[in-house]
Amino acid sequence: MYTVTCIAPVNIAVLKYWGKKDEELILPVNDSISATLDTDHLFTKTTVMTSENFKEDRMWLNGQEENMENCRLQRCLTEIRKRAKHSKHLQWKIHICSENNFPTGAGLASSAAGYACLVLALAKLYEIKGELSSIARIGSGSACRSVIGGFVKWSMGSLPDGSDSIAKQIVPASHWPEMRVIILVLDDTRKKVPSSIGMRRSMETSDMLKLRINYVVSDRAKRIERAIIEKDFETFAICTMKDSNQLHAICMDTYPPLFYMNEESRAIVDLVHTYNETVKKVQVAYTFDAGPNAVLYLLEENVPEFLGVLLYAYPEIGKIEYCKGLPRDNILISQELNKAMNIKPHEISPPVRIKCMIHTKLGDGPKYIIQPENHLLNQKGLPINHV
Ligand code: DP6
């Protein structure tokens, strides 16, 4: 019997991936750039086990047994097995158990962390060496970026077999240690239109997406990459916000339109712009994926002041139980700033119901867990909490 457990991070794109030129191989229509978040706060944990006693391949996801017929999962397994053809125990069946420590399918990149984790765990189980982001990519496009820490670029590539559509690190997390991320979970239920379906619909119907691919993305990619290397927060933030806005404009231009952001998300956008205008500097950037939750990028030195603004604008944040991540004990509420911003707590319309706030930073990428007591499968190959 062999067992491997891996922990993989969530990544949040600052230059979005939206649209595929090949749906089977998951080849994107543009390069994308993301930050890998710290696994101390958000992660997927996966244990894979192989044994000659197992009768069939089985998988459990967040406590529920899942159907192994899922074609993306099968594609990953086939590729792994192809690369592991010399492994001695390749004929044995496998058991997989995976858990997220955050809501699944709520626009928090759970499939990215999930497939990255699965691929890395299996690669270690079968001792596969070499490039692994391309295997994670065929599970879920954005997963290829979760295989690596720091700021990461997924190059679309040009080869028809997708072998050059891989993720590479731009800089490690230590390059910009002051970077902080605040996630405001406004809705923790599964999204209505999954991103794969949404982006297919955009590819079929949105003229704006063609414009983005041909005229916008490559210049913006260069600017944002340079901003990251030079630690130029203002350029980084403006590019990030514009790219998020463009993604959601394309969603509106898709027919029928896709609504991922809601009124509450737009209230957060407003608040960020009002704050930046008031302090006369771009100090906070927002970005939204295929869901209403806001992800904010900001520097550590501005966290106390911006948390003060958030807490003043949305007093209920102080009461929510589900707050995770770095400490929030140095919140600075400035009456002067609140007055200048002209925010009126309780009067914000619509009322923003923040379910959870996560304060985190960049991380170094996935890691393996060696201690057997941390595996998710027991000696019989069943989930430890199995009844
Ligand atoms: C909006 O990677 O979930 O988060 O490749 O079909 O699995 P599939 O899509 P997925 O799309 C993520 C889209 C996004 C933007 C991004 O992460 O770049």
Side-chain angles (χ1 to χ4, degrees), residues 11-13 15-18 20 26 32-33 72 109 111-112 137 139-143 145 154 191 195-197 199 247 288-290:
N11 75 76
I12 303 290
L15 186 79
K16 305 294 186 190
Y17 144 54
W18 197 252
K20 301 181 184 74
I26 311 203
S32 56
I33 295 177
R72 288 172 169 226
S111 64
R137 190 200 74 228
S140 177
S142 54
R145 299 185 311 236
W154 170 17
K191 54 199 172 213
S195 23
S196 49
I197 310 284
M199 65 176 85
L247 166 66
F288 295 82
D289 284 328

Side-chain angles (χ1 to χ4, degrees), residues 19-304:
K20 301 181 184 74
K21 56 185 180 204
D22 184 322
E23 293 216 2
E24 270 293 295
L25 292 171
I26 311 203
L27 299 179
V29 287
N30 61 268
D31 295 349
S32 56
I33 295 177
S34 59
T36 294
L37 305 187
D38 197 339
T39 50
D40 277 358
H41 309 127
L42 293 175
F43 62 82
T44 295
K45 183 175 179 182
T46 302
T47 297
V48 291
M49 190 182 261
T50 185
S51 158
E52 58 183 338
N53 299 325
F54 291 168
K55 305 270 181 302
E56 54 181 345
D57 289 342
R58 292 178 77 182
M59 174 169 182
W60 294 264
L61 188 59
N62 294 318
Q64 293 288 321
E65 181 148 17
E66 296 282 315
N67 187 346
M68 291 287 294
E69 293 315 304
N70 176 323
C71 73
R72 288 172 169 226
L73 176 66
Q74 285 304 328
R75 273 201 307 248
C76 283
L77 289 176
T78 308
E79 186 59 30
I80 292 269
R81 286 177 167 141
K82 210 157 76 190
R83 293 227 209 153
K85 55 179 182 288
H86 301 301
S87 168
K88 291 183 290 294
H89 39 270
L90 196 58
Q91 302 315 320
W92 297 353
K93 299 293 180 195
I94 51 166
H95 284 190
I96 302 165
C97 187
S98 190
E99 279 175 10
N100 298 326
N101 77 337
F102 55 90
T104 305
L108 279 187
S110 58
S111 64
Y115 275 103
C117 208
L118 175 73
V119 166
L120 291 176
L122 289 171
K124 183 130 179 115
L125 189 77
Y126 294 125
E127 296 172 332
I128 299 172
K129 300 268 177 309
E131 215 292 310
L132 297 175
S133 76
S134 55
I135 315 182
R137 190 200 74 228
I138 54 176
S140 177
S142 54
C144 72
R145 299 185 311 236
S146 271
V147 167
I148 304 164
F151 278 102
V152 177
K153 179 175 182 178
W154 170 17
S155 301
M156 59 190 277
S158 55
L159 299 173
D161 67 354
S163 54
D164 58 348
S165 187
I166 56 173
K168 284 197 179 141
Q169 188 174 73
I170 300 174
V171 291
S174 58
H175 171 80
W176 210 344
E178 305 85 1
M179 185 63 86
R180 292 291 175 272
V181 178
I182 294 177
I183 303 174
L184 300 174
V185 179
L186 304 171
D187 180 356
D188 55 4
T189 53
R190 230 170 227 284
K191 54 199 172 213
K192 284 194 218 93
V193 184
S195 23
S196 49
I197 310 284
M199 65 176 85
R200 180 191 298 155
R201 205 192 285 172
S202 298
M203 282 298 284
E204 286 164 359
T205 62
S206 169
D207 298 323
M208 262 183 87
L209 179 55
K210 296 188 185 76
L211 224 71
R212 167 175 169 78
I213 300 163
N214 292 327
Y215 299 107
V216 181
V217 180
S218 65
D219 268 1
R220 190 171 284 160
K222 283 186 205 125
R223 290 189 64 197
I224 205 161
E225 195 170 342
R226 200 177 327 122
I228 290 167
I229 292 166
E230 291 171 359
K231 295 173 69 171
D232 166 2
F233 185 83
E234 178 145 350
T235 308
F236 165 81
I238 293 172
C239 290
T240 298
M241 291 187 278
K242 285 191 162 191
D243 206 64
S244 171
N245 294 341
Q246 187 167 72
L247 166 66
H248 294 277
I250 287 166
C251 289
M252 271 300 285
D253 185 49
T254 298
Y255 190 84
L258 302 158
F259 303 110
Y260 290 121
M261 288 173 71
N262 60 22
E263 268 189 275
E264 299 179 20
S265 323
R266 287 188 283 273
I268 304 283
V269 168
D270 256 357
L271 186 76
V272 169
H273 283 294
T274 310
Y275 172 72
N276 287 339
E277 277 157 27
T278 311
V279 297
K280 298 191 174 56
K281 217 171 151 201
V282 183
Q283 294 191 164
V284 180
Y286 54 78
T287 185
F288 295 82
D289 284 328
N293 302 327
V295 179
L296 308 175
Y297 282 93
L298 68 172
L299 297 178
E300 185 183 14
E301 61 190 17
N302 298 318
V303 169

